[in-house]
Amino acid sequence: MAIEKLKKIWLDGQLVEWDEARIHVLSHTLHYGLGAFEGIRAYRRADGRTAVFRLREHVQRLFDTCKLIAMQPEFTKDQVCEASCELLRANGLTEGYLRPLVFVGDGTMGIYAPDNRIRTAVISWKWGAYLGTTALEKGVRTKISAWVRHHPSIALAKGKIMGQYTNSVLAKREAKIAGYDEAILLDLNGHVCEGSGENLFIIKDGKLITPPLSSSILAGITRETVLQLAREEGIPVAEQLITRDQLYLADEAFFTGTAVEVTPIREVDDRTLGEGKPGPITTRLQERYFDVVKGSDESHPEWLTLV
Ligand SMILES: Cc1ncc(COP(=O)(O)O)c(C=O)c1O
C-alpha cells in the first residue's frame, strides 16, 4: 500500500515539511532495531467530528515499550498526545492512521551508545482497511507460520519494539508467498499466539476465547476493547491457551488490531472454519466495534479524543 504524501510530520517537538523529516543513516536504531512505535487510528464520526480511538492507551503503551527497553523519551505522554492531534489538524486528515516513533539517533556507533539522542516522531497517513474491504466482509485465509513467536527469554512481546518485527515480516512474507492473506504464529510449545500484527480470537460453542496476556502476544488495545464489548453483549469470554487443533476446530475466529480492526478468519491451513464465512458472534462484535469507533454507538466516550 503506497502512502500518499501529506503536508507535515512531527519531529522532535516541531511540525516539519513532509520531505524535510529526514534522519541520518548513522541513526542507531536503523542499525540495531532498538526503538518503540505505535499504530493508532482516527475516525471521522457519524456527527462529522474526528476522534482518535484510545489515544491515551496507545501513548501509554508507547511509553511502556520505552520502559521495557530502558529508553527515556524527551517528551511527555501529554505532549505526544497533543502532537498527534496537532498533526491530524495540520494535515487536514479527518480520518487516518498515526505512527508515533521513539528511536535512537546518530552519534556513537556500536551496540552501546547510551548518549545518542532519543528522537521522537509522529507521522500520519491515510489508511483504509489493512487487509482490504473484502477481508472485512468475507474473512481471510491464514496459514500457521513455520516461524515461532518470540520466546519470553529472548524478546519482550509486550513491547512494540521495532527490531522484533523482523519475526512478523518473515511470517507475513511466508504466508503471502504461499498464497494466504495472513500468518498465525505459535509459541515454542505449540500454543497459538497471534497474527503478524494482530491478536487472535476463536469462538467455540458460543464462548469467545483468546490467548492470555502471559502468552507471547502484544497486549492489544483492540483485543481489550473487543473483550469489553463481548462482556457487554453477554458473550462468555475466556483468556486461555489455544492449541492448533482447537483453532482448526473453532466455529469462528477473527483477528483484532488497530490496523485490521475486526477481521474474520475463514480458513486456517486450508481448513474451513465453521461455514467458511463470518459467523454470528464475529459479525456482532465487528458491527459493535465499528459503531463504537465511528460514533453511532456513544457508549464509550472515554475511548475517544476529539481532534
Ligand atoms: C504483534 C501485534 N499483535 C497485536 C496487535 C494489535 O494491537 P492493537 O489492537 O493495540 O493495535 C499489533 C498491532 O499493534 C501487533 O503488532
Side-chain angles (χ1 to χ4, degrees):
M1 249 178 287
I3 296 301
E4 183 191 327
K5 177 172 149 179
L6 300 179
K7 289 186 208 125
K8 304 280 184 184
I9 287 175
W10 189 92
L11 184 60
D12 296 320
Q14 286 180 31
L15 286 176
V16 298
E17 295 300 317
W18 182 276
D19 288 331
E20 299 305 318
R22 298 201 188 99
I23 57 163
H24 202 279
V25 286
L26 282 171
S27 296
H28 193 269
T29 301
L30 187 61
H31 298 244
Y32 305 111
L34 195 79
F37 73 104
E38 265 306 318
I40 311 171
R41 272 192 196 264
Y43 291 92
R44 186 178 152 83
R45 295 168 60 77
D47 63 8
R49 291 182 299 173
T50 295
V52 185
F53 189 63
R54 306 200 73 173
L55 174 62
R56 291 215 65 82
E57 291 88 337
H58 280 281
V59 172
Q60 179 62 51
R61 189 171 65 190
L62 181 74
F63 279 67
D64 287 348
T65 302
C66 289
K67 180 175 183 179
L68 289 173
I69 56 179
M71 188 180 268
Q72 182 61 50
E74 276 184 13
F75 299 90
T76 64
K77 283 180 258 182
D78 283 345
Q79 285 172 312
V80 176
C81 287
E82 183 41 44
S84 302
C85 294
E86 193 188 350
L87 183 67
L88 289 173
R89 288 191 293 265
N91 282 327
L93 266 190
T94 53
E95 192 154 61
Y97 191 77
L98 287 159
R99 168 57 55 81
L101 304 172
V102 182
F103 59 100
V104 188
D106 56 309
T108 309
M109 264 296 136
I111 305 273
Y112 188 60
D115 299 324
N116 287 18
R117 183 174 180 197
I118 304 302
R119 315 281 309 264
T120 306
V122 187
I123 314 160
S124 67
W125 61 79
K126 290 183 189 163
W127 228 11
Y130 179 66
L131 297 174
T133 40
T134 314
L136 285 175
E137 286 160 16
K138 296 196 168 20
V140 288
R141 298 179 60 242
T142 63
K143 175 189 187 319
I144 293 189
S145 183
W147 298 102
V148 170
R149 204 51 164 164
H150 301 293
H151 187 278
S153 298
I154 297 173
L156 299 155
K158 293 294 162 291
K160 268 185 90 71
I161 301 168
M162 293 164 182
Q164 287 184 177
Y165 275 75
T166 46
N167 177 253
S168 288
V169 174
L170 290 171
K172 178 81 185 190
R173 278 191 188 164
E174 176 199 44
K176 290 291 286 181
I177 289 166
Y180 299 86
D181 302 305
E182 187 52 284
I184 294 175
L185 291 109
L186 310 183
D187 66 15
L188 270 176
N189 297 319
H191 291 119
V192 175
C193 290
E194 58 185 346
S196 66
E198 51 277 309
N199 292 110
L200 182 142
F201 286 78
I202 65 168
I203 292 134
K204 187 69 181 174
D205 299 329
K207 189 168 164 187
L208 184 65
I209 309 167
T210 195
L213 291 179
S214 51
S215 296
S216 269
I217 60 168
L218 190 74
I221 291 162
T222 320
R223 171 189 181 278
E224 205 249 318
T225 303
V226 164
L227 283 172
Q228 167 81 21
L229 296 178
R231 288 189 191 99
E232 289 171 13
E233 295 289 308
I235 299 164
V237 300
E239 293 175 62
Q240 64 190 43
L241 293 176
I242 299 171
T243 54
R244 178 192 283 244
D245 45 13
Q246 285 177 306
L247 176 58
Y248 286 166
L249 296 178
D251 300 327
E252 303 175 37
F254 60 85
F255 285 127
T256 62
T258 300
V260 292
E261 300 162 308
V262 176
T263 294
I265 299 172
R266 65 183 156 94
E267 228 180 272
V268 182
D269 288 347
D270 305 302
R271 290 157 178 84
T272 301
L273 300 190
E275 310 270 298
K277 58 180 190 190
I281 294 183
T282 305
T283 305
R284 203 153 109 213
L285 290 170
Q286 190 191 50
E287 280 171 7
R288 187 79 208 284
Y289 181 76
F290 281 120
D291 286 348
V292 167
V293 299
K294 294 191 175 169
S296 48
D297 176 330
E298 295 187 345
S299 58
H300 286 284
E302 75 282 9
W303 287 345
L304 308 172
T305 302
L306 290 169
V307 176

